[in-house]
Amino acid sequence: MPITDRRTLLQTAAALPLATATTKVAFAQSSPGASAAPANVTRGLAHFLVTARYDDLPANVRKEGVRTLLNWVGVAIGGSHHQTVDIAVAALAPFSGPAQASLFGRRERFDIMNAAFINGVSSHIFDYDDTHLKTIIHPAGPVASAILALSEMQPVLGKELLNALVLGVEAECRIGNAVYPNHYDVGWHITGTAGVFGSAAAVGKLLNLNEQQMVWALGLAASQPVGLRESFGSMNKSFNPGRAAGNGIFAAMLASKNFTSSDGMIEAKRGWANTISTKQDYNEILGDLGKRYEAALNTYKPFACGIVMHPAIDAAIQLRNENKLTADQIERVDLKVHPLVLELTGKKTPHEGLEGKFSIYHAVAVAIVEGAGGEKQFSNRAVNDETVVALRSKISPVITPGIDPAQVDMTVVLKDGRQLHRHIEHAIGSAEMPMTDKQLETKFADLADGIIPAATIRRLMEACWNVENQPSAAEIAKMSVSA
Amino acid sequence: MPITDRRTLLQTAAALPLATATTKVAFAQSSPGASAAPANVTRGLAHFLVTARYDDLPANVRKEGVRTLLNWVGVAIGGSHHQTVDIAVAALAPFSGPAQASLFGRRERFDIMNAAFINGVSSHIFDYDDTHLKTIIHPAGPVASAILALSEMQPVLGKELLNALVLGVEAECRIGNAVYPNHYDVGWHITGTAGVFGSAAAVGKLLNLNEQQMVWALGLAASQPVGLRESFGSMNKSFNPGRAAGNGIFAAMLASKNFTSSDGMIEAKRGWANTISTKQDYNEILGDLGKRYEAALNTYKPFACGIVMHPAIDAAIQLRNENKLTADQIERVDLKVHPLVLELTGKKTPHEGLEGKFSIYHAVAVAIVEGAGGEKQFSNRAVNDETVVALRSKISPVITPGIDPAQVDMTVVLKDGRQLHRHIEHAIGSAEMPMTDKQLETKFADLADGIIPAATIRRLMEACWNVENQPSAAEIAKMSVSA
């Protein structure tokens, strides 16, 4: 008998039993291939999730959760009219269920699973969302998309929403920590793979799942990882957090009706971590749960481009604002940079907005001219602006030993002979130099401008800042639609 | 600067560009980490899929496609009232879109994505569906669930349905071949991971995608693998082909509106095959396309249990039918078996139907008493039947050197002293001894019995056998619902 057939016999027989927890025990006893779990990882996490209360959250964690929420709402609105979103809305409209949830920044309403997908796409399309720097997970996308949709379908207190958001982010970032970097290095888009757990955990929390149901929700989430890095550069990238959000709702809704999974889907021999990564550090998942919060480490991008250019943009804006600089005053700008800056963003003459994101010349020039580095500064308009185009030819980046990728050293030489100097050790938006609440508001307002009414923008930001006191979390989603 | 931050800079910058094929080219040129594709695998497969015509299919491939269809319809109806399906229907009903498609064996109608999920679950819940033995993929679940649902939403000729079914099965089995066994061994449920491609390919074919759109559909499918082997033994196992079906529709529908992905999602450095397997044999995907058909190698289970017991059940039914055996004639049954038989199915006193699937004693006894090994023979009723229970104590399996797992040697010793002997070299349902059309009909009728009206069962089988001449493939789904 050929080896393939032997395998088939074993595997097909092993594949047979069905449906109940007691059955699973019998299976484990009768099958020689049954997995030995290294620890009760899935159940331990589920136990934490179902018992963790809003009142348990430390103040700094609550605060970062609120900032995470506000930043996410802004980017979801800001990206909502990108062509990618228009296409997704058109493709899915014929299949959407009842109009349960808002599409942020738009007027259509979809069922919560399809709405979560769309909002997750919108929020990632500019690559301008939040970042858990230890794993490069963009945490809010999969989680906030899911629970804000759910909040329009069932009553959710604002503080319950915040608790679920923090717990979802905590679950996905801890699971991400457990497998990063190997898991990411091989090719997985970790925001989509770990993100499913975040969505399932947060939705499961709001559905008030019991511990066993939460174990199943995490198991069904483990069965639905999303996203490969090869898709970066296409619409498929923003697809990933969106689909992760939808998959997590799908998992949690099934689990809430007692659709079963196995009990150790994260840690078992043939479970998620072993299948999807060559590194598994389960202490990252269970260690100091409720004490150490990954959700408190979230960061937000001040500029709508790769962070390799952030120090230079930061320096340019600081010098511009402090000196009321205008382009016609400038003789040249000398920049001491790390080699990565030119390697990744060395494009000298961008013609399209997107190319501007790969041009240190454009980024510095537009920052000096407009005092910002938002999505509007990387538009087709901005890269073809005459003043910006003229100035960018005066930007001179020089690779300099001793300059770290997080640093930049900028000298602006003026036509009147003056030299303005700024050394950036950590750019704004880094973990060391977080964006202020005020800066988050500026970013938010800039993103929402022209999409939702100006008066609503202010009210919406207030609703986010005050989410803990909102009697109905649904108000946030309801205010986030276009006029 | 810590190493993590350096990684972050590189990766965040690399993650930036968006949305268009031309953009992607620019990205590949500007990024040092861009992937080198070993071959045009995704595009080559897409080209085949969009150009392959029904008229190109060899007769034996058509025939096996029809058998695949009939077998799948039977198992989908048969499993449709399992508790797993009831739960899934209840959980998803609040989110379903328009009533576009039938739930096989039931009365509800869901949108095609949710219907495909439910039907995929139903068809796998008994582990009684079809098997591509080289990969242990159950090919029809992800594909037939998707295209039969779609056939109720747009006009589809029967021969178009058959062509799409064959092409979907071909895509998933070839992609499975490329990564099997490594991919399966590490823990992936290959029916769910390769199955997404099958669904996307088949749906994309019926949507008449152009080559670029098919490339994107395959890319979006690659982004949504489903299922881990750890979930075997829970409802999560049948979840996997169902979700694969739904994910494939999701991918194809987005691609049909020009939602982009990257061009080499199967073969690129950080694409599917490299990320999800340590083996990649791309010749399995592209070699002899349109000449060698994996779809022609499909097999069907005659008995609703692991195939390790199939030779013994086959022998028992043959001796029973040829000799009109009854239980009270039998002194004992001597079975020479391979060690795997007792290792996997050595349970002597099953109390529940499911346990019967792990009892060679029960399987042989019930086969002699009832002349079958269908789902009904592994019910709670069957394992507690007095005659069966009495007979199973007379079944004596003995591990015997020289007996292969595919073989069995059975001697029935009668009370009158006669000995009846049968040696099975290849059991019915194996590749060497395929089920006859008549046997497929018996299996089908047994599964559909009590779920759809008797008169409809016959008409439905005829509709499947004659699918190539059906002006509307939707008739099959429409006939498959309960009264």
Side-chain angles (χ1 to χ4, degrees):
Chain A
M1 180 179 211
I3 186 68
T4 301
D5 290 351
R6 282 179 196 273
R7 298 174 52 92
T8 304
L9 279 167
L10 260 167
Q11 291 156 341
T12 307
L16 269 168
L18 278 186
T20 65
T22 48
T23 297
K24 185 60 174 58
V25 172
F27 171 50
Q29 289 168 343
S30 67
S31 164
S35 309
N40 249 341
V41 180
T42 309
R43 185 166 294 280
L45 178 60
H47 178 78
F48 169 70
L49 292 169
V50 300
T51 54
R53 300 170 310 158
Y54 165 77
D55 291 338
D56 301 333
L57 296 179
N60 69 312
V61 176
R62 292 185 200 178
K63 174 65 181 176
E64 209 56 59
V66 172
R67 285 159 52 89
T68 295
L69 175 69
L70 179 121
N71 184 72
W72 183 85
V73 171
V75 292
I77 293 170
S80 62
H81 290 268
H82 191 280
Q83 179 195 16
T84 304
V85 182
D86 291 340
I87 288 175
V89 169
L92 297 177
F95 311 104
S96 175
Q100 294 158 343
S102 305
L103 303 192
F104 278 58
R106 303 182 64 100
R107 305 176 78 162
E108 303 93 341
R109 292 179 65 82
F110 278 5
D111 71 85
I112 65 168
M113 294 186 197
N114 279 303
F117 171 73
I118 297 292
N119 294 335
V121 172
S122 294
S123 70
H124 194 53
I125 198 70
F126 291 151
D127 259 301
Y128 200 13
D129 45 351
D130 51 341
T131 307
H132 176 250
L133 291 168
K134 285 159 75 172
T135 55
I136 335 178
I137 289 174
H138 305 290
V143 180
S145 308
I147 58 177
L148 282 163
L150 182 63
S151 77
E152 292 191 80
M153 197 184 164
Q154 67 174 44
V156 174
L157 294 174
K159 62 184 184 179
E160 292 172 340
L161 184 91
L162 186 67
N163 192 35
L165 176 63
V166 167
L167 293 175
V169 168
E170 196 63 24
E172 69 183 320
C173 291
R174 281 172 170 265
I175 291 170
N177 284 344
V179 297
Y180 187 88
N182 307 40
H183 168 70
Y184 186 85
D185 288 348
V186 73
W188 292 104
H189 185 193
I190 192 167
T191 295
T193 56
V196 191
F197 291 106
S199 171
V203 172
K205 181 69 181 176
L206 292 181
L207 293 177
N208 203 23
L209 299 188
N210 64 35
E211 183 180 301
Q212 182 62 59
Q213 291 169 329
M214 186 66 88
V215 166
W216 292 332
L218 294 172
L220 293 166
S223 303
Q224 302 175 81
V226 182
L228 301 170
R229 285 172 58 195
E230 172 59 20
S231 72
F232 289 6
S234 77
M235 296 179 184
N236 195 158
K237 182 169 196 260
S238 52
F239 173 96
N240 299 337
R243 193 59 169 163
N247 284 356
I249 300 177
F250 200 76
M253 285 294 170
L254 285 167
S256 75
K257 301 291 186 188
N258 297 318
F259 194 104
T260 68
S261 180
S262 296
D263 281 358
M265 285 290 278
I266 295 175
E267 74 275 18
K269 181 179 170 190
R270 292 202 175 99
W272 188 85
N274 285 313
T275 299
I276 212 159
S277 177
T278 52
K279 175 201 159 195
Q280 304 86 22
D281 182 352
Y282 298 112
N283 191 50
E284 288 285 355
I285 300 177
L286 296 183
D288 291 329
L289 268 173
K291 291 177 190 142
R292 167 172 68 78
Y293 278 89
E294 295 299 309
L297 306 178
N298 209 4
T299 68
Y300 317 95
K301 277 191 185 179
F303 310 123
C305 57
I307 61 179
V308 74
M309 299 200 298
H310 288 205
I313 298 172
D314 191 6
I317 295 174
Q318 288 188 33
L319 290 177
R320 177 228 196 230
N321 289 347
E322 292 169 15
N323 300 282
K324 297 188 169 48
L325 281 182
T326 57
D328 57 359
Q329 295 177 277
I330 294 174
E331 177 71 28
R332 70 172 195 276
V333 178
D334 293 329
L335 268 181
K336 295 178 182 172
V337 300
H338 185 271
L340 273 179
V341 175
L342 290 182
E343 191 175 309
L344 296 171
T345 61
K347 192 176 284 288
K348 287 194 173 176
T349 55
H351 300 290
E352 294 184 7
L354 185 56
E355 290 178 292
K357 297 193 178 194
F358 293 85
S359 172
I360 184 71
Y361 307 94
H362 170 73
V364 171
V366 76
I368 291 173
V369 174
E370 304 190 1
E375 191 60 27
K376 290 174 182 170
Q377 281 69 46
F378 296 99
S379 62
N380 290 348
R381 182 221 30 102
V383 297
N384 294 301
D385 179 273
E386 281 185 25
T387 310
V388 173
V389 170
L391 183 57
R392 79 183 179 209
S393 65
K394 300 178 179 175
I395 313 299
S396 303
V398 178
I399 293 170
T400 306
I403 293 284
D404 193 282
Q407 301 173 333
V408 84
D409 193 277
M410 178 180 286
T411 302
V412 178
V413 180
L414 300 184
K415 290 176 181 169
D416 66 9
R418 280 187 298 153
Q419 297 199 355
L420 310 172
H421 175 258
R422 184 60 35 97
H423 181 84
I424 297 289
E425 189 70 21
H426 298 291
I428 183 69
S430 65
E432 295 81 0
M433 191 73 66
M435 285 180 78
T436 64
D437 290 355
K438 180 73 190 156
Q439 288 168 324
L440 285 176
E441 287 198 351
T442 302
K443 175 182 175 182
F444 185 110
D446 192 51
L447 283 162
D449 177 42
I451 300 178
I452 62 176
T456 309
I457 292 175
R458 169 47 53 192
R459 283 200 301 125
L460 179 52
M461 285 196 288
E462 290 305 322
C464 291
W465 289 130
N466 296 317
V467 61
E468 293 156 285
N469 303 313
Q470 299 284 343
S472 169
E475 292 307 309
I476 292 172
K478 287 179 180 165
M479 264 191 275
S480 296
V481 300
S482 64
Chain B
M1 181 177 211
I3 185 69
T4 300
D5 290 352
R6 283 179 195 275
R7 298 175 53 91
T8 304
L9 278 169
L10 259 168
Q11 291 157 342
T12 306
L16 268 170
L18 278 185
T20 65
T22 48
T23 297
K24 185 59 175 57
V25 173
F27 171 52
Q29 290 168 342
S30 67
S31 164
S35 309
N40 249 341
V41 180
T42 308
R43 186 166 295 280
L45 178 60
H47 178 77
F48 169 70
L49 292 170
V50 300
T51 55
R53 302 169 309 157
Y54 165 77
D55 291 339
D56 301 333
L57 296 178
N60 69 312
V61 177
R62 292 185 199 178
K63 174 64 182 177
E64 209 57 58
V66 171
R67 286 158 53 88
T68 295
L69 175 67
L70 179 121
N71 184 72
W72 183 85
V73 171
V75 292
I77 294 170
S80 61
H81 290 268
H82 191 279
Q83 179 196 16
T84 304
V85 182
D86 291 340
I87 287 174
V89 169
L92 297 176
F95 310 104
S96 176
Q100 294 158 341
S102 305
L103 303 191
F104 279 57
R106 304 181 64 99
R107 305 177 77 163
E108 303 92 341
R109 292 179 66 82
F110 277 5
D111 71 84
I112 66 169
M113 294 187 198
N114 279 304
F117 170 73
I118 297 292
N119 293 335
V121 171
S122 294
S123 70
H124 195 52
I125 197 72
F126 291 151
D127 259 301
Y128 199 13
D129 45 350
D130 52 340
T131 307
H132 176 250
L133 291 168
K134 285 159 74 173
T135 55
I136 335 178
I137 288 173
H138 305 290
V143 180
S145 308
I147 58 178
L148 283 163
L150 181 63
S151 77
E152 291 191 81
M153 196 183 165
Q154 67 176 42
V156 175
L157 294 174
K159 63 184 183 179
E160 292 172 340
L161 184 92
L162 186 67
N163 193 34
L165 176 63
V166 167
L167 293 175
V169 169
E170 197 62 24
E172 68 183 322
C173 290
R174 281 171 170 264
I175 290 170
N177 284 344
V179 296
Y180 186 89
N182 307 38
H183 168 70
Y184 186 85
D185 287 349
V186 73
W188 292 104
H189 185 193
I190 191 167
T191 295
T193 56
V196 191
F197 292 106
S199 171
V203 172
K205 181 69 181 175
L206 291 181
L207 293 177
N208 203 23
L209 299 188
N210 63 34
E211 183 181 302
Q212 183 61 60
Q213 291 169 329
M214 186 65 88
V215 166
W216 292 332
L218 294 172
L220 293 167
S223 303
Q224 303 175 79
V226 182
L228 302 170
R229 286 171 59 194
E230 171 60 20
S231 71
F232 290 4
S234 77
M235 295 179 184
N236 195 158
K237 183 169 195 260
S238 53
F239 172 95
N240 298 336
R243 192 60 169 162
N247 284 356
I249 300 176
F250 200 75
M253 285 295 171
L254 284 166
S256 75
K257 301 291 186 190
N258 298 318
F259 195 103
T260 69
S261 181
S262 296
D263 281 357
M265 284 290 278
I266 295 175
E267 73 277 15
K269 181 179 169 190
R270 292 202 175 99
W272 188 85
N274 285 314
T275 299
I276 212 160
S277 176
T278 52
K279 176 199 158 195
Q280 304 85 22
D281 182 352
Y282 298 112
N283 191 50
E284 288 285 354
I285 299 177
L286 295 184
D288 292 328
L289 268 174
K291 292 176 190 145
R292 167 172 67 78
Y293 279 90
E294 295 297 310
L297 307 179
N298 209 4
T299 67
Y300 317 95
K301 277 191 185 179
F303 311 122
C305 57
I307 61 178
V308 73
M309 298 201 299
H310 288 205
I313 298 172
D314 191 6
I317 294 174
Q318 288 188 32
L319 290 177
R320 178 232 195 225
N321 290 347
E322 291 170 15
N323 300 281
K324 298 188 167 51
L325 280 182
T326 55
D328 57 1
Q329 294 178 279
I330 294 173
E331 177 70 27
R332 70 172 194 276
V333 178
D334 293 329
L335 268 181
K336 295 178 182 171
V337 299
H338 185 271
L340 274 179
V341 175
L342 291 182
E343 192 174 309
L344 296 170
T345 60
K347 193 176 283 287
K348 287 193 172 175
T349 55
H351 300 291
E352 295 183 6
L354 185 56
E355 290 178 292
K357 296 194 178 194
F358 293 85
S359 172
I360 184 70
Y361 307 94
H362 169 73
V364 171
V366 77
I368 291 174
V369 173
E370 304 190 2
E375 192 59 27
K376 290 175 182 169
Q377 280 70 47
F378 296 99
S379 62
N380 289 347
R381 189 248 346 131
V383 298
N384 294 301
D385 178 274
E386 280 185 26
T387 309
V388 173
V389 169
L391 182 56
R392 78 184 180 208
S393 65
K394 299 177 179 175
I395 313 299
S396 302
V398 178
I399 293 169
T400 306
I403 293 284
D404 192 280
Q407 302 172 333
V408 84
D409 194 278
M410 178 181 286
T411 301
V412 179
V413 180
L414 301 184
K415 290 176 180 166
D416 66 11
R418 280 187 297 154
Q419 296 198 354
L420 309 173
H421 174 256
R422 183 59 36 94
H423 181 85
I424 297 289
E425 190 70 20
H426 297 290
I428 184 70
S430 64
E432 295 82 359
M433 191 74 67
M435 285 181 77
T436 65
D437 290 356
K438 180 71 190 155
Q439 287 168 324
L440 285 175
E441 287 199 351
T442 302
K443 174 182 174 181
F444 185 110
D446 192 49
L447 283 161
D449 177 43
I451 300 177
I452 62 175
T456 309
I457 292 175
R458 168 47 54 192
R459 283 199 303 125
L460 179 52
M461 286 196 288
E462 290 305 322
C464 290
W465 289 131
N466 295 317
V467 62
E468 292 157 287
N469 303 313
Q470 298 284 343
S472 169
E475 292 307 309
I476 292 172
K478 287 179 180 165
M479 264 191 274
S480 296
V481 300
S482 63

